Amino acid sequence: MAKSAHNPSRKQGFLSIVLHAHLPYVRHPEHDSFFEENWLFEAITECYLPLISALDRLHNDNIDYRLTLSLSPTLITMLRDELLQTRYLRHLHKLLELAEKEVTRTRHQPEYQKLARLYRRFFRNNLEVYQNQYQCDLVAAFKKHHNAGNLELICCAATHGFLPLLNVSETAVRNQVNIGIDTFKANLGFAPSGFWLPECAYYPGLEKVLGDAGINYFFVDTHGITDASQPAQNGVYAPLDCGNGVVAFGRDPESSRQVWSSHEGYPGDFDYREYYRDIGFDLDLDTIAPYILDGKTRINTGIKYYRITGGDLPKAIYDPKNALAKARVHAQDFINKRQLQIDALGESMDRPPIIVAPYDAELFGHWWFEGPNWLEQVLRLASESSNNIHTITCSDYLNQITSHQIATPSASTWGDQGYSSYWINETNDWIYPVLHKAEAELEQLASDLQGLAVTALQTRALNQAARSILLAQASDWAFILKSGTTVEYAKKRITDHLARFNYLHDCIRKNRINERYLTALEIMDNIFPDIDFRDYNPSNGGTSSKPTRS
């Protein structure tokens, strides 16, 4: 891309866009297909593959950009699971088959057929990228862009546990952090510098756990910085050193509002594709039956023909050219507003400001169909020298600027009302007493066995018990119970994992382990292959004596 002249009147500053990619661990080999596995398949089709394609285009055009992506350990594991890879290919072929039928069905409706052809191209391109270009390994695809120096990959807690509510036990928190980092290192081959706290949920003291694990920085919501133990001299536009060298970056509320807000945010523009209107609900049952749940329960297919439109007007047909043009307009608007921020901040700051803009990755493409294109345009525009905005990763920033104000962030999350109310309330508060009880029992078991000979079968059972607790601790289940979506599934996941733990705990205590049943549990919950139950011995400080992986 041609570079335009530098404007010396503009202040210099940094933009750090951070995408958090996470899904709960959903894998059901005991069924031929399982509805909730579609969460992963939809995210791959609508978010991860379009994002990878955008990064490939930027790379091929030699665009100098920086972007940060956190990959949760559960997502990494699912993306690399052969069973789920095979099922995703089956899912994608069914989408292609449906798109082909739509091209035929809409042959007398040229506006609709144009869109049916668009979806056919979209699914074909996804198949080419997924199967042929990256051999079904999207973790390797992201690592390619990390190795190229454009994409910083960072880590998250093992099962996205809500750490402030697990902090009844520091051992529980340390294992969420350490096992998450171990999983990242085992799959990516390097240690992450940054850490995404699940739900941006921080409590004072968590920085010590992160520092002990080798983490350099993490993110908090805006009020984590503005309500810190000392007034933040530069607001959220410079990080805070928590006192142990671990640095906290705060979310910029303006760039967040422009993308997230249901009233002011770009994704609500009337030219963009409507998410909720889908042929899975619009077509007659006989036509759509092979592509929905059990041939009778209507679900989203991803083929949507309407734009958001305005007010009470009937939904207008989607125009992809208008939508992409609007995405470019919104990308330019985003860059212009960041430059205005930087110009204003530069008058009062003793260092270049860093604007940290974190988002759920799944917003881009899944909820906001044009989102990956918008992001690509933002990164292209930011690379031009006509402005003084430079995209940067937080690691790059810390390499450039090494002295930071020392203060402790306040307890905070990026959830509703800013604290923990979304994850502990009348819908889900029953979870935590049983989680804490199970955690305490595992810690006692690991402590009781210290120094004793443990057989291979007992070790397997102990490790599987630890997996069960980790999977029950996922913040997703409490979130779902509050949001009221797939409530029964969330309840079942919690109760099933705790029942498996209780069964294993009882078998281990009585030394009556049923190897056949244990094997079945290992097949169903085959995550964290290197887990070590000894890490749950509190006297070990959350770390066993096993050698660490490089």
Side-chain angles (χ1 to χ4, degrees):
M1 180 178 290
K3 305 289 185 182
S4 47
H6 174 67
N7 185 342
S9 67
R10 313 199 88 166
K11 303 296 181 183
Q12 181 182 4
F14 300 112
L15 170 64
S16 182
I17 297 176
V18 183
L19 303 183
H20 172 49
H22 164 67
L23 288 172
Y25 189 68
V26 177
R27 178 183 178 275
H28 290 277
E30 70 274 25
H31 299 282
D32 290 336
S33 64
F34 202 82
F35 169 67
E36 280 78 10
E37 289 179 353
N38 284 348
W39 297 347
L40 174 66
F41 303 156
E42 289 175 355
I44 292 174
T45 302
E46 299 169 354
C47 173
Y48 308 145
L49 284 171
L51 176 60
I52 288 166
S53 293
L55 299 183
D56 285 345
R57 290 190 294 271
L58 291 167
H59 177 78
N60 293 338
D61 291 345
N62 295 313
I63 301 299
D64 183 22
Y65 75 92
R66 299 293 184 274
L67 179 70
T68 301
L69 176 68
S70 76
L71 294 171
S72 75
T74 50
L75 178 60
I76 289 171
T77 303
M78 290 189 295
L79 289 176
R80 291 208 134 166
D81 183 86
E82 290 186 10
L83 173 70
L84 292 176
Q85 289 172 345
T86 300
R87 290 185 174 184
Y88 174 65
L89 281 173
R90 183 178 67 190
H91 172 84
L92 192 50
H93 280 291
K94 284 195 75 174
L95 288 179
L96 261 171
E97 179 183 294
L98 177 59
E100 289 283 4
K101 289 184 176 180
E102 279 298 282
V103 170
T104 301
R105 187 187 68 83
T106 58
R107 61 190 178 278
H108 301 306
Q109 300 170 290
E111 286 184 303
Y112 289 91
Q113 192 187 56
K114 182 176 73 172
L115 292 172
R117 291 177 182 275
L118 177 147
Y119 286 113
R120 184 172 64 180
R121 289 194 303 274
F122 179 67
F123 298 142
R124 282 177 176 170
N125 181 72
N126 276 350
L127 183 60
E128 169 64 26
V129 173
Y130 186 75
Q131 187 172 36
N132 298 333
Q133 190 172 341
Y134 290 110
Q135 292 74 52
C136 307
D137 188 353
L138 298 191
V139 175
F142 288 124
K143 186 179 178 182
K144 180 186 91 169
H145 293 287
H146 172 91
N147 291 342
N150 300 117
L151 181 70
E152 180 171 13
L153 296 175
I154 64 172
C155 188
C156 185
T159 58
H160 215 261
F162 193 89
L163 302 182
L165 294 177
L166 297 181
N167 191 33
V168 169
S169 163
E170 185 177 308
T171 301
V173 173
R174 285 188 179 276
N175 277 293
Q176 277 282 343
V177 171
N178 293 343
I179 293 170
I181 292 171
D182 282 351
T183 303
F184 183 95
K185 289 162 63 176
N187 283 276
L188 276 304
F190 61 90
S193 178
F195 196 91
W196 181 272
L197 298 177
E199 320 299 356
C200 276
Y202 168 82
Y203 62 87
L206 184 50
E207 68 279 353
K208 182 180 186 304
V209 178
L210 297 175
D212 290 347
I215 293 297
N216 296 324
Y217 71 87
F218 62 96
F219 302 95
V220 294
D221 200 30
T222 309
H223 56 295
I225 299 293
T226 56
D227 296 340
S229 61
Q230 301 291 327
Q233 296 165 1
N234 294 304
V236 295
Y237 303 105
L240 296 177
D241 182 329
C242 296
N244 65 338
V246 178
V247 170
F249 288 86
R251 177 164 73 153
D252 167 47
E254 291 188 41
S255 56
S256 175
R257 188 164 51 246
Q258 279 185 271
V259 174
W260 276 120
S261 171
S262 58
H263 303 293
E264 306 169 50
Y266 301 133
D269 189 274
F270 295 159
D271 281 330
Y272 288 144
R273 193 189 73 164
E274 166 67 65
Y275 171 80
Y276 295 99
R277 189 80 182 268
D278 187 286
I279 66 168
F281 296 88
D282 284 352
L283 297 188
D284 66 83
L285 194 58
D286 288 343
T287 302
I288 202 65
Y291 308 98
I292 59 176
L293 188 61
D294 301 325
K296 54 188 177 182
T297 305
R298 292 182 178 273
I299 60 172
N300 284 321
T301 66
I303 297 181
K304 307 169 196 289
Y305 290 140
Y306 297 96
R307 61 181 176 89
I308 291 173
T309 322
D312 297 324
L313 297 172
K315 293 296 181 188
I317 195 164
Y318 178 60
D319 186 327
K321 287 185 178 178
N322 285 350
L324 292 180
K326 186 61 67 71
R328 287 190 288 271
V329 169
H330 284 156
Q332 185 67 64
D333 180 69
F334 186 82
I335 290 293
N336 291 346
K337 286 186 166 64
R338 301 295 75 75
Q339 184 68 67
L340 290 174
Q341 277 183 281
I342 287 168
D343 290 345
L345 291 164
E347 300 298 329
S348 59
M349 290 181 62
D350 64 349
R351 62 195 64 204
I354 179 169
I355 297 172
V356 176
Y359 310 104
D360 275 339
E362 291 77 23
L363 168 68
F364 296 86
H366 179 62
W367 296 103
W368 181 17
F369 187 60
E370 300 78 10
N373 185 271
W374 174 88
L375 179 63
E376 179 183 346
Q377 295 304 318
V378 165
L379 296 173
R380 287 180 183 275
L381 290 168
S383 73
E384 297 179 355
S385 58
S386 56
N387 56 61
N388 272 353
I389 298 175
H390 303 281
T391 54
I392 197 171
T393 69
C394 290
S395 288
D396 291 337
Y397 180 90
L398 295 178
N399 287 335
Q400 291 187 31
I401 300 174
T402 57
S403 177
H404 310 286
Q405 180 186 354
I406 295 178
T408 304
S410 68
S412 52
T413 77
W414 74 348
D416 184 44
Q417 302 180 48
Y419 297 98
S420 299
S421 63
Y422 209 89
W423 292 273
I424 183 165
N425 51 70
E426 68 280 359
T427 69
N428 54 30
D429 57 6
W430 59 270
I431 298 171
Y432 302 99
V434 289
L435 279 181
H436 299 328
K437 179 177 181 290
E439 175 75 27
E441 288 176 342
L442 179 60
E443 291 177 23
Q444 186 63 55
L445 193 55
S447 180
D448 291 347
L449 291 170
Q450 184 171 9
L452 300 179
V454 180
T455 68
L457 183 61
Q458 288 171 327
T459 299
R460 285 172 53 195
L462 287 157
N463 290 342
Q464 194 63 32
R467 288 187 189 98
S468 297
I469 283 185
L470 282 171
L471 290 166
Q473 287 173 342
S475 70
D476 310 273
W477 313 133
F479 183 93
I480 289 170
L481 292 176
K482 172 61 175 172
S483 64
T485 50
T486 53
V487 168
E488 291 308 311
Y489 180 69
K491 285 182 181 176
K492 182 170 172 53
R493 286 299 301 271
I494 298 166
T495 55
D496 279 0
H497 289 307
L498 289 173
R500 291 169 190 175
F501 169 77
N502 290 332
Y503 170 81
L504 290 166
H505 176 265
D506 189 54
C507 288
I508 293 161
R509 284 291 186 192
K510 295 177 180 177
N511 198 23
R512 296 176 183 171
I513 299 169
N514 182 324
E515 185 173 8
R516 183 176 178 181
Y517 187 69
L518 173 59
T519 300
L521 292 180
E522 290 172 329
I523 290 170
M524 284 192 286
D525 298 333
N526 69 339
I527 194 170
F528 310 131
D530 298 326
I531 198 169
D532 189 335
F533 75 90
R534 297 172 187 85
D535 291 343
Y536 283 85
N537 182 349
S539 65
N540 290 339
T543 305
S544 73
S545 58
K546 69 182 186 294
T548 57
R549 288 182 293 276
S550 60

